Amino acid sequence: MIDSVPDVVVVGGGVIGLSIAYFLSQRGATVTVLDQNQPGQEASWAGAGMLPPGNLPGARSASAQLRAYSHQRWRSLSQELRELTGIDNGYLESGGLEVGYAGEGDRLQAEANEWIAEGVPLEQLTAADLQRCEPALSPEIRQGYRLPGFAQVRNPRHLKALILACEMRHVRIVAGAPVMQFDTEANSTTGSRILAARTANEHFPASQFVIASGAWTGGLTRQLQVEIPVRPVRGQIVLLSAVPLPFKHIINNASRYLVPRADGRILIGATEEETGFEKRNTVEGVAALLQFAQRLVPELAQARLERTWSGLRPGSPSGNPFLSRLPRHSNGYVAAGHFRAGLQLSVATGELMAQLITTGSTDLNLEEFRIKS
Ligand SMILES: Cc1cc2nc3c(=O)[nH]c(=O)nc-3n(C[C@H](O)[C@H](O)[C@H](O)COP(=O)(O)OP(=O)(O)OC[C@H]3O[C@@H](n4cnc5c(N)ncnc54)[C@H](O)[C@@H]3O)c2cc1C
């Protein structure tokens, strides 16, 4: 089995590539995943694991549909992976608060209106309500709303579960396999086809190929004469420990957030920086995150600082991913550019790409995410 030519080679073993491999294997496809380093160690490991809610019948845009499609599958996928592998990915419906200081009322109301229009359950909260709900919040917080369906996952654990589940389904995962180019053939009737993915020393033939290489995707698709504008956008995170936890909800304020984990850890995220492929923490980034956290929940000044890290989000011009067949190679696909939402959208991406590759049609219309040639 291992030496025979697989149905599909997936380039990239982040949450996107692994989810696609998992759902493909569920459909009976044989799959090889190639990763340039160890799988599951890049953006998918670094992320905060926030999973916002959705409502498929009320979703008013393609991206809202994708989010809702994922949302309704997270709980059952987590249970399925736990039963299959024994690994608990920490999926938890902790609920989420979006809160604002003076002057942020209009922004909050506009956002709340969007959720309400989508039919997502939401409670609008005054300053007094918020103090009752989470007494540790700063009295400077003036208003907010609560999304009870907001969930979280311990993404490093989810990746471990996905890797083991893939292996149990006979997916071959090859670490230390940086794909550098593709062997292709031109055919006058079927158009060009990819024959194999190549590393420095090996080539990996397959019937179909998926490029799911996160922030590195653009460099690879260029080999196939396709410009896909995915770029690295650095996000720094600070990890605190505070036992007992001062609050239970995920707390969002604009683009920054606090995510409480059940074991007393709190993630403070995240910066958004255009610094190329430079993955590191900076004094400025860490200081801004600590200041944000202390202002929002003053007692965090006494929390223990555990560690910091950063990751490279695969940024795209619209913030939406590319989920598409390649324009010039009939057996090539791309799933990349999920920016700040790759964990939440990984379930939908895995399931829908597996549908596209094995049947040519999908539960949701993916036109919005297609690469225009
Ligand atoms: C700080 C931070 C916080 C975040 N918080 C959240 C959140 O709360 N919720 C959410 O939904 N999303 C969040 N995200 C975004 C999310 O993490 C990403 O969108 C998602 O992980 C992208 O997954 P990926 O598989 O495309 O990329 P990656 O996880 O980066 O995986 C790409 C893989 O491809 C491999 N690769 C690259 N080039 C090659 C090659 N040539 N050959 C072989 N392998 C290759 C890499 O080694 C890597 O393993 C966050 C991201 C960051 C950085």
Side-chain angles (χ1 to χ4, degrees), residues 11-17 34-51 177-180 212-216 220 233-237 257 270 309-314 335-345:
V11 184
V15 75
I16 298 301
L34 306 175
D35 199 283
Q36 60 186 355
N37 296 311
Q38 287 297 322
Q41 294 297 312
E42 292 292 347
S44 305
W45 183 92
M50 292 183 293
L51 310 173
V179 172
M180 294 165 145
S213 313
W216 295 264
L220 272 176
V233 181
R234 185 169 72 195
Q236 301 187 46
I237 289 219
Y257 48 80
W309 65 79
S310 72
L312 302 175
R313 305 179 186 94
H338 293 72
F339 193 33
R340 294 187 73 127
L343 291 157
Q344 49 167 296
L345 299 180

Side-chain angles (χ1 to χ4, degrees), residues 234 236-238 256 271 273 275 278-292 305 308-310:
R234 185 169 72 195
Q236 301 187 46
I237 289 219
V238 174
R256 296 209 165 149
T271 62
E273 300 161 90
T275 45
E278 196 183 74
K279 205 173 57 169
R280 65 186 176 92
N281 286 102
T282 62
V283 171
E284 187 184 34
V286 170
L289 292 172
L290 289 172
Q291 198 177 15
F292 161 78
L305 184 67
T308 61
W309 65 79
S310 72

Side-chain angles (χ1 to χ4, degrees), residues 294-308:
Q294 279 185 76
R295 184 176 179 209
L296 198 54
V297 177
E299 71 178 79
L300 288 180
Q302 298 309 316
R304 191 152 65 89
L305 184 67
E306 277 211 7
R307 64 179 288 197
T308 61

